[in-house]
Amino acid sequence: MAIEQDILAAVQISNDQVVELSNTNLSYVDFSVNVNDIKIDKTKPLWHNYFLCGLKGIQDHFCLSSPTGMKCLVDGTIPASSGLSSSSALVCCAGLVTLIANKKSMSKVELAETCAKCERYIGTEGGGMDQSISFLAEEGTAKLIEFSPLRSTDVKLPAGAVFVIANSCVEMNKAATSHFNIRVMECRLATKVIAKAKGLDWKNLMKLGDLQAKLGVSFEDIMAVVEEILHPEPYTREEICECLGMSLEELCEKILSQNTQDVATFRLYQRAKHVYSEAARVLAFKKVCDEAPANAVHLLGDLMNQSHVSCRDMYECSCPELDQLVDICLKSGAVGSRLTGAGWGGCTVSMVPVDKLSDFLSNVQDSYYKLEDRRFALLEKSLFATNPGRGAVVLMEAE
């Protein structure tokens, strides 16, 4: 679902084919570059590199031979490295202004797909949910996002509960570490090992979802396949090579990404179990919303709790502070709570009955934010809830 926090850019078109970038936050230094000489440094995920991803994505999509120059002033209210997609929002903002400045047009779906692809220029092997909801969100509804092809479906959330975002205040920049890309690679390797064992064209299969589609089986059946073929113990690179019938040099050259070349072991079983169980929970969540039983809020809360346990134990993308915050949120009255975003820091999202919201916010402030000066200093931008009167999209800061 969308949130009210955003990234905005004021843009003036120039005729010198130079892009000049400034930020209202003076901790982000100015940057300028010729539009025909864009180089994105994957080793330094500086703020301007995300803008350049969106810029270059539109240039490449339209094969622009003489793109226009721009003077851009960027402003944002999304906490950085908090799991709320500030980097993706900046990429999307840059893609949109580049599109308009060069007098091109494309659908929201095309723009979302383009921005999802071009964010990978910075080295993050991400998906496309962040970019999709940035462009496809509508007020008053959540969205089920599906891919290949990209499409979205309205999901009406039940009355009587709001979603509260709470920032753990542990910053996590997924482009600055290898954690995120290692998980992507573990899923890719799990896909290939299972596909090879099942006699499929494993070399061209990259995603667990595509593997399930090729096998034509249900979530229950694919979970049984995971149990049958993968083992819970970590796989060494040598064992993966043996499973796929390839040399270590071929593995490094053809499959492993740049920042996973030196990883010694991979947990394929745990990652595959998480991805398939999480996908099943997504559809179960939508089913509850569609059918709207009397206990819908508690059923959805249970799914959120299961999700966090899986993120923590099977995907291993949580951290002690996130686990502590989830526990505090549940003890403060939430029916469900889980990490959101890439993990290893950032925010939790909790489902809270409307009549418990005030006490919930007060308890979380006392139990988490007031215990540490740095957290308390960030409180104003760290804890906020959906507006009960306007559905699941517009968020307000807690007083």
Side-chain angles (χ1 to χ4, degrees):
M1 66 187 75
I3 60 175
E4 191 176 68
Q5 286 78 353
D6 56 21
I7 296 228
L8 305 175
V11 183
Q12 180 182 41
I13 296 172
S14 59
N15 298 318
D16 54 8
Q17 291 200 309
V18 172
V19 170
E20 298 179 46
L21 301 176
S22 296
N23 199 301
T24 57
N25 184 336
L26 298 182
S27 64
Y28 298 117
V29 299
D30 293 356
F31 181 82
S32 64
V33 64
N34 188 289
V35 290
N36 293 311
D37 189 33
I38 292 177
K39 295 181 177 64
I40 298 170
D41 188 349
K42 294 182 179 181
T43 66
K44 296 179 180 179
L46 301 174
W47 81 277
H48 64 258
N49 282 325
Y50 290 99
F51 194 99
L52 295 182
C53 285
L55 178 66
K56 183 171 168 55
I58 296 300
Q59 286 186 6
D60 291 351
H61 180 85
F62 288 100
C63 300
L64 298 176
S65 58
S66 184
T68 185
M70 297 182 289
K71 295 180 180 179
C72 305
L73 177 63
V74 176
D75 179 63
T77 57
I78 309 171
S81 303
S82 64
L84 297 180
S85 309
S86 59
S87 56
S88 296
L90 182 54
V91 172
C92 290
C93 180
L96 184 58
V97 299
T98 305
L99 183 75
I100 294 170
N102 286 275
K103 299 180 179 179
K104 299 294 182 180
S105 63
M106 57 201 312
S107 69
K108 288 183 178 181
V109 169
E110 290 175 312
L111 191 53
E113 289 179 324
T114 299
C115 288
K117 291 175 184 175
C118 68
E119 189 167 337
R120 296 171 193 157
Y121 292 155
I122 207 165
T124 302
E125 295 286 333
M129 287 196 297
D130 298 344
Q131 300 83 1
S132 298
I133 199 63
S134 287
F135 289 119
L136 303 178
E138 295 179 60
E139 187 174 324
T141 181
K143 293 280 187 178
L144 172 70
I145 306 290
E146 299 174 278
F147 298 94
S148 302
L150 174 61
R151 58 206 185 276
S152 67
T153 306
D154 289 353
V155 177
K156 182 176 174 56
L157 296 163
V162 294
F163 288 91
V164 179
I165 307 298
N167 191 349
S168 70
C169 302
V170 176
E171 292 191 358
M172 168 60 187
N173 185 321
K174 61 189 177 187
T177 70
S178 60
H179 299 319
F180 186 86
N181 283 356
I182 290 172
R183 295 298 179 274
V184 174
M185 192 52 58
E186 287 172 321
C187 292
R188 187 171 299 169
L189 291 169
T191 298
K192 292 182 179 297
V193 169
I194 295 173
K196 179 89 161 37
K198 286 294 185 180
L200 300 177
D201 180 16
W202 63 272
K203 292 183 179 180
N204 292 317
L205 279 173
M206 306 286 280
K207 299 177 182 178
L208 289 164
D210 295 338
L211 170 65
Q212 183 185 4
K214 280 287 185 184
L215 291 173
V217 296
S218 66
F219 282 118
E220 184 178 354
D221 291 338
I222 196 65
M223 294 285 274
V225 170
V226 171
E227 294 284 352
E228 171 197 346
I229 295 172
L230 300 179
H231 57 67
E233 297 76 25
Y235 284 74
T236 63
R237 297 195 298 175
E238 291 73 18
E239 185 178 4
I240 290 170
C241 289
E242 184 179 340
C243 289
L244 298 180
M246 65 193 320
S247 68
L248 186 57
E249 291 73 19
E250 288 176 310
L251 178 69
C252 292
E253 181 182 338
K254 296 180 179 179
I255 299 179
L256 298 184
S257 59
Q258 183 179 352
N259 59 357
T260 59
Q261 295 281 327
D262 298 326
V263 179
T265 60
F266 300 89
R267 294 179 177 272
L268 309 191
Y269 170 87
Q270 290 83 352
R271 310 320 181 215
K273 287 271 284 189
H274 169 75
V275 168
Y276 286 129
S277 66
E278 187 78 337
R281 281 187 288 273
V282 169
L283 296 184
F285 196 101
K286 181 179 183 298
K287 185 172 186 287
V288 172
C289 290
D290 290 344
E291 295 177 354
N295 62 340
V297 169
H298 288 279
L299 291 174
L300 298 180
D302 287 343
L303 289 168
M304 292 176 68
N305 294 332
Q306 292 169 28
S307 177
H308 185 75
V309 169
S310 186
C311 286
R312 182 191 68 201
D313 298 341
M314 300 303 284
Y315 212 61
E316 295 179 278
C317 64
S318 189
C319 68
E321 293 84 355
L322 279 173
D323 295 337
Q324 178 192 8
L325 189 51
V326 163
D327 186 55
I328 287 170
C329 288
L330 291 173
K331 289 178 179 177
S332 298
V335 294
S337 187
R338 54 153 294 169
L339 65 82
T340 188
W344 297 284
C347 291
T348 63
V349 57
S350 301
M351 195 175 205
V352 182
V354 173
D355 59 0
K356 294 183 179 180
L357 179 59
S358 180
D359 288 342
F360 174 88
L361 294 173
S362 178
N363 290 338
V364 173
Q365 287 183 32
D366 292 342
S367 301
Y368 190 78
Y369 293 99
K370 291 184 179 179
L371 297 182
E372 187 179 298
D373 289 344
R374 178 177 166 274
R375 292 177 188 168
F376 189 62
L378 298 171
L379 176 59
E380 185 179 350
K381 295 182 179 179
S382 295
L383 184 65
F384 48 91
T386 58
N387 188 326
R390 297 186 64 184
V393 176
V394 180
L395 300 189
M396 61 182 183
E397 289 184 355
E399 295 294 347

